[in-house]
Amino acid sequence: MEEIQVPPYFLCPISLEIMKDPVTISTGITYDRDNIEKWIFSGKNATCPVTKQALSGTDDEFLTPNIILRRVIQSWCTLHASHGVERFPTPKPPVTKSHILKLLRQAKSTPEMLAKVLQTLRSMAPENAANKRCMESAGVAEFLAQIIKTSEDNPTDDALYVLHNLGLSENGLRSILGHDTQFIDSLTRVMQHGSYESRAYAVMLLKSMLETTTLNPSLSQLTTTLNLSFFHQVVQILRDNFSRKASKSALHLLANVCQGGRNRIKAAEAGAATVVIDLLLDTNEKRYCEWGLSVLEQLCRCAEGRAEVLKHAAGLAVVSRKILRVSQVANERGLRILYSIAKFSATPSVVQEMLQLGVGAKLCLVIQVDCGVGKNKERAAEILKLHAKEWKNSPCLPLDLIHNTIGVN
């Protein structure tokens, strides 16, 4: 079959693919909408990719649909359909801020209209970055947050779906978070009483929002006032394990908020260590293991957390097993867990358990193999030195390692 030559001006300068929705920016260069939106808004670039000139205009003024070129491309595709070229459908026009504001006003009229507007917003949010940006600037996030705080029935499901799919900027996340725990408390209630879908979106939103508190000192106090119910509900999501994304977000969330001392104790009281260890027993997925070990690392910085890890029959075993089997990050976090236990909670029975589980042999491997570099080697040696007299009698430790690393004759 004869090869079809695509006219070069049909191709997007960024992706070199045929443009489905050509738009022209202020420098006069035409791009495919999806590609240039990712460049400008996701990549936070304020220049033209080709000319490197600064872009002018704001929001929708950045992108002007090139309708003539789009029709030429569609006609060319139709003409060459016999060669397997598919015609691109005419794209939907991006929503406008005035249209969104009109929808928000209509939503306040009746409960039936509110439900209809939420369904409309639900269909708009996933379409493209321009819609999401326009919806955020029109105040949709604040509108949805208010619904979640005041509603206890079905509208909450749609509101959470839209709010999650908006992919809010840091400023947008901070605007709905506010300066008190009211919205956090609302999402905690959703995690307790909502559907599986709503619970998943609630924990994913909490993960995103509470990450922003580390970037804004004025909001950092919010993570210090989290109540015990919050931790119980996050742990319950991990226990139910109904969604991989929700579980990962819950692990990420716990690792973040447990950087505060009181939160570690609350998480331990809520049973976080037990459920994380159970989850780690069933997976070797890299990111899952890394975040699970991160939670255990934080918990092991307090006595209550270490006690919970040691109380679990597989606590020490699963941590040791993940070292050298997952990633360098997992190695570092696993060794920090073992160090905290060996330094602060190593009763004779705990040290004996570590010997029986082959923890000493794993530490020797870390020191000896190539991936045990830098701080990992040092940390493994420190753990061995902490209980050198007990380790020296273990048949798992090479004699030269005992003399050269542990320093016991």
Side-chain angles (χ1 to χ4, degrees), residues 5 10-11 52 55 98 140 158 245 255 339 366 377:
Q5 296 296 321
F10 285 7
L11 304 179
K52 308 304 180 186
L55 300 176
S98 60
V140 169
D158 288 327
K245 286 185 178 180
Y339 180 79
V366 171
K377 282 188 174 184

Side-chain angles (χ1 to χ4, degrees), residues 149-164:
K149 285 189 283 189
T150 58
S151 176
E152 296 181 357
D153 49 21
N154 291 335
T156 302
D157 291 346
D158 288 327
L160 281 165
Y161 174 89
V162 178
L163 199 53
H164 170 70

Side-chain angles (χ1 to χ4, degrees), residues 104-352:
L104 298 187
R105 288 193 297 269
Q106 292 174 343
K108 298 176 183 178
S109 59
T110 64
E112 292 77 17
M113 183 56 71
L114 171 61
K116 184 176 180 180
V117 168
L118 286 173
Q119 285 295 315
T120 301
L121 294 176
R122 185 167 181 144
S123 66
M124 288 179 176
E127 285 184 354
N128 54 58
N131 283 4
K132 296 176 183 179
R133 188 183 72 259
C134 181
M135 293 168 73
E136 180 176 340
S137 67
V140 169
E142 292 81 0
F143 168 77
L144 297 172
Q146 187 60 33
I147 291 175
I148 293 167
K149 285 189 283 189
T150 58
S151 176
E152 296 181 357
D153 49 21
N154 291 335
T156 302
D157 291 346
D158 288 327
L160 281 165
Y161 174 89
V162 178
L163 199 53
H164 170 70
N165 280 280
L166 281 179
L168 295 174
S169 64
E170 290 178 6
N171 288 334
L173 289 168
R174 285 196 289 267
S175 72
I176 62 172
L177 181 59
H179 291 274
D180 56 42
T181 62
Q182 186 179 2
F183 192 57
I184 295 175
D185 294 340
S186 298
L187 292 179
T188 301
R189 288 194 296 273
V190 172
M191 288 192 293
Q192 184 175 9
H193 301 295
S195 63
Y196 281 150
E197 180 186 47
S198 290
R199 292 173 68 198
Y201 290 136
V203 75
M204 287 188 279
L205 276 171
L206 282 165
K207 184 210 71 155
S208 299
M209 287 190 302
L210 293 181
E211 278 180 332
T212 68
T213 63
T214 61
L215 305 174
N216 191 331
S218 66
L219 297 176
S220 60
Q221 78 279 1
L222 291 179
T223 59
T224 65
T225 56
L226 298 172
N227 57 41
L228 187 58
S229 177
F230 168 89
F231 290 95
H232 275 295
Q233 300 314 318
V234 175
V235 168
Q236 189 61 48
I237 283 179
L238 287 172
R239 187 173 288 117
D240 292 343
N241 198 22
F242 57 86
S243 161
R244 206 66 167 170
K245 286 185 178 180
S247 294
K248 284 184 178 180
S249 293
L251 289 172
H252 197 153
L253 175 59
L254 283 175
N256 184 30
V257 300
C258 284
Q259 294 180 42
R262 285 295 304 167
N263 286 346
R264 293 171 191 149
I265 297 173
K266 293 175 186 176
E269 291 177 0
T274 299
V275 72
V276 170
I277 291 169
D278 287 340
L279 289 174
L280 290 176
L281 283 169
D282 295 327
T283 184
N284 277 320
E285 184 183 333
K286 180 182 175 182
R287 296 299 292 168
Y288 211 75
C289 291
E290 288 176 351
W291 283 114
L293 291 171
S294 181
V295 173
L296 294 182
E297 177 197 345
Q298 293 294 337
L299 293 177
C300 282
R301 296 187 182 188
C302 70
E304 293 83 356
R306 292 192 296 273
E308 289 299 311
V309 171
L310 291 172
K311 187 167 69 174
H312 196 295
L316 284 173
V318 75
V319 173
S320 177
R321 185 195 304 174
K322 299 304 178 188
I323 296 173
L324 300 183
R325 289 191 178 186
V326 179
S327 69
Q328 189 71 4
V329 171
N331 295 343
E332 294 171 1
R333 292 172 180 172
L335 287 168
R336 290 195 192 106
I337 294 168
L338 294 179
Y339 180 79
S340 293
I341 290 173
K343 185 172 183 179
F344 300 109
S345 301
T347 62
S349 61
V350 170
V351 175
Q352 186 60 36

